[in-house]
Amino acid sequence: ALVTGFISIRSSKSALTEAAITSVTLSGEEAADYTESRIETQLRTLEVVAMREDIISMDWERQLSVLMEILPKTDFQNMAIVDTDGNVNFADGSNGNIKDRPHFQKAIAGESNVSEGAIISTVTGDTIFSYCVPIEDNGKVVGVLIGHRDALLLSDVSDTRGYGENGSGFIINNKGEILAHQDRDKVLEKFNPIEAAKEDKSHEPLAKLFKEILDKKEGFAEYEINGVKNFAGFSNIEGSDWIFVILADRDEVLARSDELQKNLILVSLFGLVIALMSTVFLGQKIVAPIISAVGHGEKLANLDFSHNVPEEILNKDDEIGLLGQVFQTITENLRQAMMDVGTATENITSTSEELSATTEETAASSEEVSRTAEEIAKGSTEQAYNTETGTSKAIKLGEAIEEDL
């Protein structure tokens, strides 16, 4: 039971760890999907606006009228129209040129996109994310529609996607710059631990994590900072160069595993107690009848056939009952054999007594015959003597007669 319990504990802890890793990884994927949907919503909003005739006309006055109408109804803090040369006019009246901006270049090439990171607007000076969609007229790109959102608003999204009580979420771009974080200063500073670690070694653990994230794009990683072990699940945000990262405190995630481990230990100990009690109980139920049967066998070995096998053994339907029935049969057979031997002994004794009496009678007859024989022998001796005397006398008479003749 203890071995089984130990194996169960190790297996369950391993399974829970794997489940925790899967859960954190899925959290990263779900957070990325959620952020992607938010980005898609903003881009789709701009695309719908870009399809209006007033916008397609590239007539700034007509376009401005539309932007002033639409802007309050959106989540954008500013909107602008950019011509093919990069000249930009914002709804708030500011203007400039952004032809060197990567997000503008993608849009003018026909690709809706969001800037790869938080940028400081060259026109307004605000730290923003720039959403860009092409303005097309009969399939030809004639300009770009831009919507600016406060860069810190993305952090509001990442703040809601932490794992557990001590976990957190943040977003980075493909360079390792932080785009959304619970520490807003890191967003405004475009903090990049990979670059920071080159001057400050204390950032190396986080830099190592960021490098792994940028290398894998999607998956799971473990890292340790200041003695605290963490899990990280991350996933690429489709439609952007961003990656959403979910952090989870390892101890918090595996707390259920530790609790389960304790419960399994208790269950194992309880199971051991039950097993011992069951063993004792079953031992009494099984061993006791066997001991009783063995005791009866010893009596048989000592030629004691006076006891029958106990009824509780004979009435069993198992092998012990069968053994008891065999012993009972042996007992009865031997008992009958002993009775037969006793009867035979009595008969032999009786016959012996009769033979003894006959022998005594024969002995008496023999003595009488012996006496008679002796008397006959004595008579024969006397007769022989008399015969011998008579013969002698006859001889002498014959000799006398001869002399007379």
Side-chain angles (χ1 to χ4, degrees), residues 27 157-169 244-248:
S27 294
V157 175
S158 63
D159 286 348
T160 64
R161 310 304 293 186
Y163 190 98
E165 294 182 3
N166 300 319
S168 62
F244 206 121
V245 184
I246 294 292
L247 299 183

Side-chain angles (χ1 to χ4, degrees), residues 245-261:
V245 184
I246 294 292
L247 299 183
D249 185 299
R250 185 179 184 277
D251 292 337
E252 180 183 357
V253 173
L254 297 181
R256 290 184 57 197
S257 174
D258 295 336
E259 182 179 352
L260 178 61
Q261 197 169 2

Side-chain angles (χ1 to χ4, degrees), residues 309-321:
V309 177
E311 288 294 327
E312 60 268 18
I313 295 179
L314 294 176
N315 293 332
K316 284 183 171 295
D317 296 328
D318 54 16
E319 289 79 2
I320 296 176

